[in-house]
Amino acid sequence: MALSRRRPRLGLALGSGSARGWAHIGVLQVLDEAGIRPDVVCGASIGALVGAAYAAGELERFSAWVQSLGMRQVWGFMDFNLSGGMLKGERLIAFWRRNFADFDIEASPMPFGAVATDLHSGAEVWLREGSIADAVRASIALPGLFTPVAQEGGRLLVDGGIVNPVPTSLARAMGADIVIGVDLNSDILHRHLQPLALAGEAAATLPAADATALASTRTGGDWMGRLKFWGHGTGSGAAAGAAQVAPLPSRPSVLDVVMTSVTIMQIRITRSRMAGDPPEVVIAPSLSHLGVLDFHRAPEAIEEGRRAAQAALAQLQRFTG
């Protein structure tokens, strides 16, 4: 008997990347404008947060909120903590519960899943039931920044990006035949590994995005900016550059080291997992000019997400008709 044809189920795997995750909003906007509606959505870390808003039908309102965030508002969510992580994360999730949908994941208008990591065993944990706000809180618990989330039985959950930064496997487990993966970290190492001798010379001809990062470094406005241009030339060959690039701090802060180390680890894991189970389509915004804590720069991230999604539309339409 001949197999009957059916419409393939489309899954969306939204990757981790802290503040760079606002680019997911731009990606989702372009997909909606093109009439491409996923059947399932899942995410790791910030991808889980944006994915939850999308699954709940709250993307437009959520987008307006994140674009209203300034440094003052971002600091207002920081409930500092002395153990387990710098932040408790309770203010952020309480705000989510008050202003956006919190419901059982099983009742989600669109099938939704989030990835977390078991801190004791290192196992990947798929959150497919219970409170969507609780699932998001567990998935965003970046080690060193947010405290782990305790579950019944003594299990502690941390950021899902530690084990599965672009959760293609979860999207397939949720029934997706075709997966769109959104990778937020693909260009990070390329920018950090700029040859040291060229750092000063390149300052005068930097792209606008990198010029912004360098300016932030000089003023201290970018939390991670001091790492963007950590190398500067010495000797006569770098004299012109040295006049343009202010001396950099000799050592990054503890937070800088932890955040950048986690990002590098996630890049390596993403490459490995995508090699074994690649999404049919990868959307990779260029976001290395944004620091992991630049939540106040949402318009830049959203616009880059839109650009990357528009560039991928031709490939997407091969699968979606």
Side-chain angles (χ1 to χ4, degrees):
M1 185 176 78
L3 292 175
S4 59
R5 297 188 63 182
R6 65 175 177 83
R7 185 183 70 83
R9 286 172 58 81
L10 183 64
L12 194 59
L14 303 180
S16 59
S18 297
R20 293 186 283 270
W22 297 151
H24 288 314
I25 295 172
V27 171
L28 292 166
Q29 289 173 344
V30 169
L31 294 183
D32 275 350
E33 291 163 8
I36 299 172
R37 180 73 172 171
D39 297 287
V40 301
V41 60
C42 61
S45 194
I46 191 71
L49 177 63
V50 178
Y54 183 62
E58 295 274 11
L59 185 67
E60 183 176 349
R61 200 158 61 89
F62 186 73
S63 173
W65 172 67
V66 302
Q67 291 184 80
S68 74
L69 290 175
M71 281 297 296
R72 183 183 299 273
Q73 288 79 14
V74 172
W75 277 97
F77 285 110
M78 295 189 178
D79 41 5
F80 291 97
N81 184 64
L82 296 178
S83 63
M86 288 183 60
L87 306 174
K88 291 184 287 185
E90 293 175 1
R91 290 182 185 173
L92 175 61
I93 294 303
F95 179 87
W96 174 275
R97 294 185 198 278
R98 290 194 309 270
N99 295 276
F100 298 99
D102 182 21
F103 47 79
D104 283 346
I105 293 174
E106 301 94 319
S108 174
M110 175 183 291
F112 169 80
V115 178
T117 305
D118 187 317
L119 187 60
H120 290 145
S121 69
E124 180 176 339
V125 178
W126 291 348
L127 302 171
R128 297 289 317 283
E129 58 185 21
S131 163
I132 198 167
D134 289 347
V136 167
R137 173 63 183 87
S139 191
I140 66 172
L142 189 65
L145 185 61
F146 285 107
T147 57
V149 171
Q151 289 193 322
E152 291 183 9
R155 185 162 72 170
L156 291 176
L157 299 182
V158 294
D159 195 304
I162 300 300
V163 291
N164 199 354
V166 183
T168 303
S169 56
L170 175 54
R172 296 203 193 284
M174 293 170 64
D177 302 301
I178 296 167
V179 177
I180 303 168
V182 185
D183 181 6
L184 303 177
N185 301 313
S186 63
D187 68 330
I188 302 297
L189 289 183
H190 173 73
R191 297 292 180 91
H192 281 323
L193 296 179
Q194 179 184 15
L196 300 185
L198 297 179
E201 298 171 10
T205 58
L206 286 173
D210 284 348
T212 300
L214 180 55
S216 297
T217 299
R218 288 172 170 161
T219 62
D222 182 355
W223 297 34
M224 295 290 288
R226 62 178 62 92
L227 294 183
K228 300 293 188 199
F229 299 91
W230 52 22
H232 57 283
T234 58
S236 60
Q244 298 174 25
V245 182
L248 300 179
S250 59
R251 288 195 179 99
S253 71
V254 172
L255 181 61
D256 288 334
V257 171
V258 171
M259 297 297 100
T260 302
S261 298
V262 169
T263 297
I264 291 171
M265 176 192 65
Q266 291 182 350
I267 292 168
R268 298 300 188 186
I269 294 172
T270 300
R271 290 178 180 178
S272 176
R273 297 204 62 152
M274 280 192 176
D277 185 13
E280 279 67 29
V281 178
V282 177
I283 298 175
S286 297
L287 298 163
S288 66
H289 61 288
L290 296 179
V292 295
L293 297 176
D294 284 343
F295 292 100
H296 59 293
R297 298 172 67 182
E300 296 173 59
I302 292 172
E303 184 57 34
E304 175 54 25
R306 290 185 61 86
R307 185 208 62 78
Q310 287 165 347
L313 277 180
Q315 185 183 8
L316 280 169
Q317 287 165 352
R318 289 175 49 206
F319 293 102
T320 61

